[in-house]
Amino acid sequence: MLGPKDLISSPEEDAEFLAELNRIEKDEQEKKKKFPYEPFNPEFELKEIRKLTKGQKNLMLEQQRMLVKAKLERYKSLLARQKEGVAQTIGLLRAQVESQQGATIDSLETILRDNASRYKFSMHTVGVFTYAINTFGKKHEAVEQHRKLYPDDKKFFEACFKVAPKGKVEVVMGPMTVLFRCFDIDDYTLAFNFSQTGGDSTKLDETMVERAKLSGGVALSGCAVEELSGAVVLENASSNKKTEERLVTKKTKVEENRRFVDFLINQDDLVIETKGVDSVNAEPPNIYRIKVVDRYYYDNQPKRIQIIDNGKVLRDLTILHGLKSPNLGFVESDNLSDRPVSEVYERLDVHEEDGDVGFFGVQLRSGFVRVENYMKTPLEITYRATESVEVIKDKQYSDQVKIHEEQHQFNKLFMPSEIHLWWPDIRRNVTTCIGPKRAEDVIRPLIERFVRFERKFMGIDTAARDEILAYYKEGRIPEAIAVTLSISKLYDYKSMEYYKKRVDEIVEKVTKVVKEEMSDLLWENESDGARLLNSSGLELDEDDIKESIGRVFGEDYLADLRKWTGVLTILEEKGYSRDEIISLLYQEPVYRWINLAKRMSVKS
């Protein structure tokens, strides 16, 4: 509480204030020199509306009102145009970031300069955009550099979460994000809760596991790699997967007196590599191929095969498919006759590094290929084989998760400055009229506003804002977003341990702060006039505070969700596209969305 003496400054303090004011004015002048236009600063312009010149003050009162009204209309028009300009600039920056050619800092700054002049951005707005561009640049560089460091998906996961994944992990790179698609629920759960466990699975509790299982994805604030803070997102693919048989390329070594056998149908171009030389190729390595040139159209079985020695075709074979005898499958293609043979065997001599002559044999028989090594050095064979692999079952849902979670990270580039009201502001809001008020007229509204203040600045309203934008970006309709945020356990913030502790502290905080801060506002009427009430002895009803908490965090919050998502519908009906709406709403905290929506004109 401030006393009268606290409002009186010393000469020294006055001198310091004037010096600081002079410095600020000089800084503003220097900033203006950098821009070839006169910025439109909404906060400054709003204060100027009611200011009148000496001559204007001599006008009739009605004329003064008309003059102020005209200035207000001009202000609203300029403000709406600037808001649209900010939204358009965000859209252009994002389009550039997501384009195939990608974005450089210079290209993004060029977009900013062009639009800043066109829409007369204030210094503050330019600063917000500059911060966003620089932050994007740092994140983009970080994700690119660390992907080069960890080209293997599992190694990248381990670097970020301090433990190797149990199951399959896929990395999907974005312009400023790294998405880890986790097919194993244990891997996802551990990464989901990394901020609380540091990668130690023994620290997981039942609540952490349950929240992870309920979610389809998450945007992480940090991981073990500090440079990737705010750039990592996860996708829970454990319940959106299926198993498929796929042909994959593999490599194997065949040691001396060992053999390699596989189905011929799997192969397109089986490659055999030796370290020796032969008469065709004078330099190692020596490359042989078993190449499928043609297949039967009705069942994809090999029809024609070539055995190639360093580019020279040694054998050209046509397979007779459908013969009853299992041993009759190949004919020589010298004249492409239908002379069946029981098998084809090719011996390939190789001069080994020590000068000895070794060989390996290739046998094609009854749908199989067999390679036998009779050399001291191993053969390296590249071949194709069927393998069971986990893949995404519902790609559309997977894409929605990716869009949603990447949107969360993009939202962080444009977080609006919240107006942090404190007790002097709250008191002014509660006691709106001049003169004394009775205690019972002030206490209840004060408690209500204080509880709403706590909900807002403990981050619940901001979290809801973030989710609304993310769900809207992925394609949800406003009504569905409101329902999801109202009923899903994932968004029951007041029951989460982090928020629950702060909610439980509100009763004590209200009681303490109201008594300390409100002694100069509480009055009581007596027969001889108003009397100041001593708040230090005031007893607040704890039940009133709890009732207010229940209402503000319960029915009021649900009503606010409907109001906030309703803003999306208002802007849609005014003709704005989904991306335009998101870019508009980036600019304001959620409690200001409704004012922004009303201010924006209908698009022609």
Side-chain angles (χ1 to χ4, degrees):
M1 187 178 74
L2 293 175
K5 292 183 179 179
D6 296 318
L7 301 176
I8 302 174
S9 59
S10 66
E12 293 80 7
E13 289 171 332
D14 287 339
E16 289 177 7
F17 171 74
L18 292 173
E20 178 65 12
L21 189 61
N22 189 41
R23 184 191 66 78
I24 292 173
E25 289 176 352
K26 286 183 178 179
D27 286 347
E28 288 299 314
Q29 291 300 322
E30 288 299 315
K31 289 178 182 178
K32 286 184 179 181
K33 290 178 183 178
K34 298 179 182 179
F35 296 90
Y37 64 89
E38 184 68 27
F40 173 74
N41 187 323
E43 289 77 14
F44 174 79
E45 296 293 338
L46 186 61
K47 295 176 182 177
E48 294 294 307
I49 287 176
R50 293 189 177 278
K51 291 184 179 180
L52 301 175
T53 64
K54 188 175 181 180
Q56 291 170 342
K57 289 179 180 179
N58 294 327
L59 296 172
M60 299 290 290
L61 185 59
E62 185 61 28
Q63 292 176 316
Q64 291 183 19
R65 288 173 179 169
M66 291 176 62
L67 184 61
V68 170
K69 183 178 180 180
K71 290 167 70 176
L72 182 60
E73 290 302 317
R74 177 180 176 277
Y75 166 84
K76 289 180 178 180
S77 175
L78 289 174
L79 180 61
R81 173 173 164 75
Q82 189 175 86
K83 291 293 183 183
E84 287 187 354
V86 170
Q88 186 181 72
T89 305
I90 293 173
L92 290 171
L93 292 174
R94 182 154 195 171
Q96 182 68 30
V97 164
E98 294 176 346
S99 65
Q100 288 187 344
Q101 64 266 33
T104 63
I105 297 298
D106 286 343
S107 67
L108 298 178
E109 287 181 340
T110 298
I111 293 172
L112 172 58
R113 282 195 298 271
D114 291 345
N115 283 276
S117 176
R118 184 176 298 116
Y119 298 105
K120 301 186 182 302
F121 289 167
S122 68
M123 302 302 167
H124 173 74
T125 301
V126 171
V128 169
F129 273 114
T130 301
Y131 167 81
I133 290 171
N134 291 339
T135 302
F136 163 77
K138 291 176 183 177
K139 290 184 179 182
H140 175 73
E141 184 179 1
V143 298
E144 292 291 323
Q145 287 182 348
H146 284 84
R147 184 50 167 166
K148 290 177 182 177
L149 282 175
Y150 304 103
D152 180 85
D153 291 356
K154 289 197 170 187
K155 292 292 184 184
F156 201 177
F157 181 94
E158 184 176 1
C160 288
F161 304 109
K162 295 185 177 180
V163 62
K166 295 179 180 178
K168 179 181 177 181
V169 171
E170 288 180 350
V171 170
V172 182
M173 300 295 293
M176 52 169 275
T177 57
V178 179
L179 181 142
F180 290 98
R181 181 175 291 141
C182 302
F183 288 78
D184 185 278
I185 188 60
D186 290 340
D187 295 332
Y188 178 77
T189 300
L190 195 67
F192 182 96
N193 294 288
F194 182 81
S195 63
Q196 296 170 272
T197 66
D200 185 353
S201 60
T202 63
K203 294 181 180 179
L204 289 170
D205 60 31
E206 188 176 334
T207 302
M208 295 179 192
V209 174
E210 183 63 23
R211 279 185 55 77
K213 287 181 178 179
L214 285 173
S215 67
V218 66
L220 299 179
S221 57
C223 65
V225 181
E226 186 177 349
E227 294 85 352
L228 295 179
S229 295
V232 175
V233 297
L234 304 177
E235 178 185 343
N236 180 7
S238 65
S239 58
N240 185 31
K241 65 181 180 180
K242 62 181 179 179
T243 301
E244 286 185 352
E245 295 292 322
R246 287 187 177 179
L247 279 173
V248 295
T249 300
K250 292 188 172 185
K251 284 192 175 185
T252 187
K253 286 188 177 181
V254 180
E255 302 290 343
E256 184 180 10
N257 295 322
R258 295 288 180 180
R259 67 181 57 171
F260 165 86
V261 181
D262 197 17
F263 290 102
L264 196 56
I265 192 173
N266 292 340
Q267 309 310 320
D268 267 343
D269 192 8
L270 185 143
V271 179
I272 305 168
E273 184 177 321
T274 75
K275 293 184 178 179
V277 299
D278 67 1
S279 57
V280 177
N281 184 30
E283 296 292 335
N286 214 25
I287 305 296
Y288 302 86
R289 315 183 94 93
I290 300 172
K291 189 171 184 178
V292 176
V293 181
D294 194 13
R295 293 179 180 272
Y296 287 97
Y297 71 90
Y298 48 84
D299 63 0
N300 208 38
Q301 289 281 355
K303 180 178 182 181
R304 185 174 164 216
I305 294 177
Q306 291 178 340
I307 300 176
I308 303 171
D309 178 1
N310 293 286
K312 178 183 178 182
V313 178
L314 298 179
R315 303 276 280 183
D316 196 328
L317 309 165
T318 297
I319 301 175
L320 291 180
H321 186 52
L323 294 180
K324 291 181 180 180
S325 172
N327 292 328
L328 302 179
F330 300 93
V331 296
E332 298 187 47
S333 63
D334 298 331
N335 54 12
L336 294 179
S337 67
D338 290 338
R339 257 183 317 111
V341 293
S342 60
E343 66 180 46
V344 172
Y345 183 86
E346 190 74 29
R347 170 178 167 148
L348 298 157
D349 294 330
V350 179
H351 293 271
E352 299 196 63
E353 291 176 319
D354 61 3
D356 290 344
V357 177
F359 74 95
F360 66 92
V362 175
Q363 183 183 33
L364 303 173
R365 178 186 175 93
S366 302
F368 286 89
V369 57
R370 180 164 65 183
V371 180
E372 298 174 324
N373 185 18
Y374 297 102
M375 298 188 304
K376 300 184 186 103
T377 56
L379 298 173
E380 187 172 275
I381 298 180
T382 303
Y383 66 104
R384 296 205 308 171
T386 56
E387 185 175 81
S388 295
V389 294
E390 292 178 321
V391 297
I392 290 296
K393 180 168 57 178
D394 185 342
K395 189 175 184 304
Q396 183 179 1
Y397 174 73
S398 177
D399 289 343
Q400 286 177 334
V401 171
K402 179 176 180 292
I403 291 170
H404 182 109
E405 303 308 337
E406 287 183 341
Q407 183 65 34
H408 280 308
Q409 302 295 30
F410 194 82
N411 288 348
K412 294 174 183 176
L413 298 180
F414 296 99
M415 292 299 290
S417 300
E418 298 274 7
I419 299 177
H420 288 260
L421 299 178
W422 193 230
W423 279 104
D425 307 281
I426 297 175
R427 285 187 302 210
R428 279 194 295 271
N429 289 336
V430 176
T431 56
T432 52
C433 66
I434 301 173
K437 280 195 173 187
R438 293 180 303 148
E440 54 265 35
D441 293 335
V442 175
I443 288 296
R444 284 182 179 275
L446 182 68
I447 292 173
E448 192 87 4
R449 286 179 181 270
F450 182 87
V451 175
R452 291 188 69 87
F453 168 89
E454 282 294 306
R455 193 192 77 187
K456 182 189 301 182
F457 293 112
M458 69 171 57
I460 288 180
D461 290 9
T462 303
R465 172 189 183 274
D466 200 28
E467 292 296 343
I468 291 170
L469 291 174
Y471 273 119
Y472 194 58
K473 177 66 177 179
E474 76 171 59
R476 299 280 187 97
I477 62 173
E479 295 82 0
I481 297 172
V483 171
T484 298
L485 297 183
S486 298
I487 66 176
S488 173
K489 290 182 179 179
L490 283 171
Y491 308 116
D492 184 14
Y493 298 114
K494 67 180 183 299
S495 299
M496 296 179 190
E497 194 61 35
Y498 171 78
Y499 294 110
K500 189 175 182 299
K501 183 179 179 182
R502 295 187 62 176
V503 172
D504 292 341
E505 293 172 349
I506 292 178
V507 173
E508 181 181 352
K509 188 180 293 187
V510 168
T511 304
K512 180 175 182 293
V513 178
V514 166
K515 288 181 179 180
E516 291 179 354
E517 297 288 338
M518 298 305 293
S519 62
D520 58 336
L521 287 178
L522 302 184
W523 299 75
E524 193 170 65
N525 287 328
E526 291 191 341
S527 58
D528 58 346
R531 178 176 67 85
L532 181 65
L533 188 68
N534 182 2
S535 67
S536 61
L538 184 66
E539 293 294 333
L540 295 182
D541 191 334
E542 189 172 304
D543 290 338
D544 286 345
I545 302 174
K546 289 181 178 179
E547 180 185 342
S548 180
I549 292 171
R551 184 168 53 253
V552 169
F553 285 84
E555 59 191 74
D556 286 2
Y557 179 65
L558 297 180
D560 285 338
L561 287 175
R562 291 191 293 271
K563 180 174 70 176
W564 297 335
T565 53
V567 168
L568 306 175
T569 303
I570 293 173
L571 291 171
E572 285 177 347
E573 291 173 348
K574 287 188 173 184
Y576 293 91
S577 70
R578 191 172 289 261
D579 285 340
E580 286 174 333
I581 291 170
I582 291 171
S583 296
L584 280 169
L585 298 182
Y586 274 141
Q587 306 172 51
E588 300 287 357
V590 69
Y591 60 87
R592 284 185 171 181
W593 280 4
I594 188 64
N595 293 333
L596 174 66
K598 291 177 179 178
R599 186 185 304 128
M600 303 309 298
S601 57
V602 176
K603 294 190 72 175
S604 56

